Amino acid sequence: MTANCYRCGAPATSREHFPPKSFFPGKAGLQLRTVGSCDLHNNAKSNDDQYVLALICIRAMRGDNLAKRIFLRSILPQMDRAPGFRSTIIDRSAPDGTVVGVDIDRLDAFFDAL
């Protein structure tokens, strides 16, 4: 692990995977790269990773496809545990569940960190 955070240069206290581990179901055999990260940037990036993953899954869910299984296994439980995360998604959704508004700042933060 590098000694400093990849974003701010502070002492690294954890590792950040790129691309995000959460985007790969099963994770078996993956050899994702890691960089040093401070707790602040690791947590912020993880939240943005989950937000983007939720958007992708919601948009791609059809029948019992992989996107729906990831949503039910990973995103929905997080929405149940974190009311703020739930409202971020629900407040920007149409009555049929389609996400109609995207938090551009979070999307930008996700791609900036990637």
Side-chain angles (χ1 to χ4, degrees), residues 43 49 53 113:
N43 291 337
D49 293 349
L53 183 59

Side-chain angles (χ1 to χ4, degrees), residues 35-62:
V35 292
S37 181
C38 68
D39 288 340
L40 173 69
H41 286 112
N42 194 338
N43 291 337
K45 183 174 180 317
S46 295
N47 291 338
D48 291 337
D49 293 349
Q50 285 300 103
Y51 175 73
V52 172
L53 183 59
L55 295 179
I56 292 168
C57 287
I58 290 168
R59 190 72 180 135
M61 285 192 293
R62 301 286 183 278

Side-chain angles (χ1 to χ4, degrees), residues 1-16 34-42:
M1 176 167 59
T2 58
N4 298 318
C5 176
Y6 75 105
R7 294 284 290 183
C8 68
T13 54
S14 62
R15 298 177 83 89
E16 182 60 51
T34 60
V35 292
S37 181
C38 68
D39 288 340
L40 173 69
H41 286 112
N42 194 338

Side-chain angles (χ1 to χ4, degrees), residues 1-107:
M1 176 167 59
T2 58
N4 298 318
C5 176
Y6 75 105
R7 294 284 290 183
C8 68
T13 54
S14 62
R15 298 177 83 89
E16 182 60 51
H17 291 88
F18 65 93
K21 267 193 332 186
S22 61
F23 280 55
F24 299 94
K27 300 174 187 87
L30 287 181
Q31 296 180 353
L32 302 177
R33 301 216 181 259
T34 60
V35 292
S37 181
C38 68
D39 288 340
L40 173 69
H41 286 112
N42 194 338
N43 291 337
K45 183 174 180 317
S46 295
N47 291 338
D48 291 337
D49 293 349
Q50 285 300 103
Y51 175 73
V52 172
L53 183 59
L55 295 179
I56 292 168
C57 287
I58 290 168
R59 190 72 180 135
M61 285 192 293
R62 301 286 183 278
D64 187 34
N65 67 358
L66 182 58
K68 185 172 184 178
R69 291 191 305 270
I70 291 171
F71 181 85
L72 293 174
R73 183 187 71 236
S74 179
I75 302 301
L76 192 58
Q78 184 171 346
M79 290 174 76
D80 290 340
R81 286 189 305 271
F85 179 62
R86 176 183 282 278
S87 67
T88 298
I89 302 298
I90 301 298
D91 291 350
R92 294 175 179 267
S93 299
D96 68 356
T98 304
V99 177
V100 294
V102 174
D103 185 336
I104 296 299
D105 291 335
R106 287 188 85 174
L107 202 56

